[in-house]
Amino acid sequence: MSPDALLSPIRAEQMARSLLHWFGEHKRDMPWRGATPYGVWVSEIMLQQTQVATVIPFYLRFMERFPTVEALASTPIDEVLKYWAGLGYYARARNLHRAAQIVTNEHHGIVPNTPEMIETLPGIGRYTSGAILSIAYGLPRPLVDANVIRVLSRLFGLSGDPKSQANQALLWGLAERMVPQQNPGDFNQSLMELGALVCSPAEPQCARCPLYSECVAGHLPDPTVLPEIPAGRATISLIHSAALIRNFKGEFLLLQRPLEGLWGGLWEFPRVTCTAGESPEEAAKRAGRETVGLPLEVGIRVGKVKHAVTHHKITLYGYLASPVHTQLQLNPVAGRDLAWIPPDAIEQYALSSPPLVSGKSM
Ligand code: SF4
């Protein structure tokens, strides 16, 4: 099946007109509507894997602190990560920061306006490029995200795994045929907004959908049979344990994670993953040995938080701990940075998990 066989230019034009009309009446207010190319870029990066309602306060704080690409580029990554802490998927912030430096140094602070140039920037793939070029620069570039996959799969009755190579080619081909020369940014946003507000995963509201008369799935007994998503990976539960090591001044030891990899550049109490049969107390003791080379006495449990990363659900326990020997000789693994922090300053650090203690609790 080809996009041409599924969609004539006239039908594409009619659909675009219906969608744009619907969008004009139903779009939600969002702080990045009408933003600069830099603002659109920041919003699109934040919205990856993250709900609109979660992103809005982070976006507003981030744009207030880093209103221009130059402001972002000239700020150390540690400071940038503080404004990202809580949004998750921190590689996005590191890529955005690196890309802002490239835009500042190599493009005079102007976000590139061609797919060839913009897609060379870290963290900008085909979707983000399509979003920035169409929304910020008014270029008729397509985009396909999870909402668009769902709407187009239902609209055209596409079967099979939407992530398969053949279906991806088909979806991008259809999106390309549909995006109009006039108002391409509004059109792309209307497709995504329709997926978010009307063509939802579990309860599509076909009766109030502007594409109902054209839609294959809308006329099936159950439109949610499309798209055909393969059963996902099972969630894995992990137990982590952290040692809250205090010095004689009452300060806690924090370690910075390596810049590359999971939670790159964030700070944390020395922590490890519990192995099979190992208690969290034993693991907290091991955390001292393995991360900073410090034998520990482990005391009471003072915290338990749950958080998630990709398909892992993590329960993190925190134990007060003190060094066995009075002389503190720390040997952090792989030269990781460390810092002794008073309890009331811990929340100012960009942490890899919700804080286990704070100035109020200690
Ligand atoms: S008619 Fe129903 S299934 Fe089709 S696009 Fe609209 S909401 Fe989705």
Side-chain angles (χ1 to χ4, degrees), residues 239-246 252 269-271 274 278-285 287-288 296-304 315-322 356-357 362:
I239 296 179
H240 285 193
S241 194
L244 280 55
I245 306 169
R246 267 197 297 199
F252 285 99
F269 299 106
R271 74 192 262 181
C274 292
E278 184 182 40
S279 70
E281 290 95 323
E282 290 166 340
K285 202 178 261 196
L296 293 176
E297 297 279 4
V298 169
I300 58 165
R301 195 178 94 190
V302 289
K304 174 185 174 185
T315 304
L316 169 65
Y317 293 100
Y319 289 86
L320 283 182
S322 48
L356 286 158
V357 289
M362 299 306 293

Side-chain angles (χ1 to χ4, degrees), residues 324-343:
V324 170
H325 308 297
T326 43
Q327 202 160 10
L328 283 179
Q329 279 202 330
L330 300 172
N331 296 305
V333 280
R336 284 166 65 179
D337 277 346
L338 51 81
W340 290 100
I341 309 296

Side-chain angles (χ1 to χ4, degrees), residues 151-327:
V151 171
L152 297 188
S153 298
R154 290 175 177 171
L155 190 56
F156 295 102
L158 308 182
S159 56
D161 180 358
K163 291 275 169 73
S164 72
Q165 221 178 347
N167 271 341
Q168 279 291 302
L170 190 52
L171 287 161
W172 278 95
L174 286 167
E176 188 158 8
R177 268 182 98 74
M178 289 179 88
V179 69
Q181 297 290 323
Q182 299 289 323
N183 292 331
D186 277 2
F187 171 80
N188 281 336
Q189 291 179 88
S190 73
L191 259 186
M192 295 189 283
E193 197 80 328
L194 188 78
L197 300 181
V198 176
C199 193
S200 66
E203 288 182 44
Q205 313 279 312
C206 300
R208 56 186 193 90
C209 177
L211 300 178
Y212 176 69
S213 62
E214 301 281 342
C215 181
V216 173
H219 294 84
L220 297 176
D222 177 9
T224 66
V225 293
L226 295 174
E228 294 178 354
I229 311 250
R233 286 187 291 177
T235 301
I236 298 172
S237 295
L238 295 174
I239 296 179
H240 285 193
S241 194
L244 280 55
I245 306 169
R246 267 197 297 199
N247 64 15
F248 70 95
K249 290 193 225 163
E251 297 162 329
F252 285 99
L253 180 64
L254 289 184
L255 271 177
Q256 191 176 32
R257 295 183 68 91
L259 274 183
E260 298 307 325
L262 181 65
W263 301 317
L266 300 190
W267 292 82
E268 62 190 10
F269 299 106
R271 74 192 262 181
V272 292
T273 306
C274 292
T275 56
E278 184 182 40
S279 70
E281 290 95 323
E282 290 166 340
K285 202 178 261 196
R286 182 164 60 83
R289 277 198 317 275
E290 290 189 358
T291 62
V292 284
L294 198 62
L296 293 176
E297 297 279 4
V298 169
I300 58 165
R301 195 178 94 190
V302 289
K304 174 185 174 185
V305 294
K306 294 189 175 203
H307 63 130
V309 54
T310 60
H311 61 300
H312 293 105
K313 279 192 175 161
I314 298 171
T315 304
L316 169 65
Y317 293 100
Y319 289 86
L320 283 182
S322 48
V324 170
H325 308 297
T326 43
Q327 202 160 10

Side-chain angles (χ1 to χ4, degrees), residues 3-14 177:
D4 295 3
L6 284 169
L7 184 62
S8 69
I10 289 180
R11 201 166 153 232
E13 204 183 307
Q14 284 164 350
R177 268 182 98 74

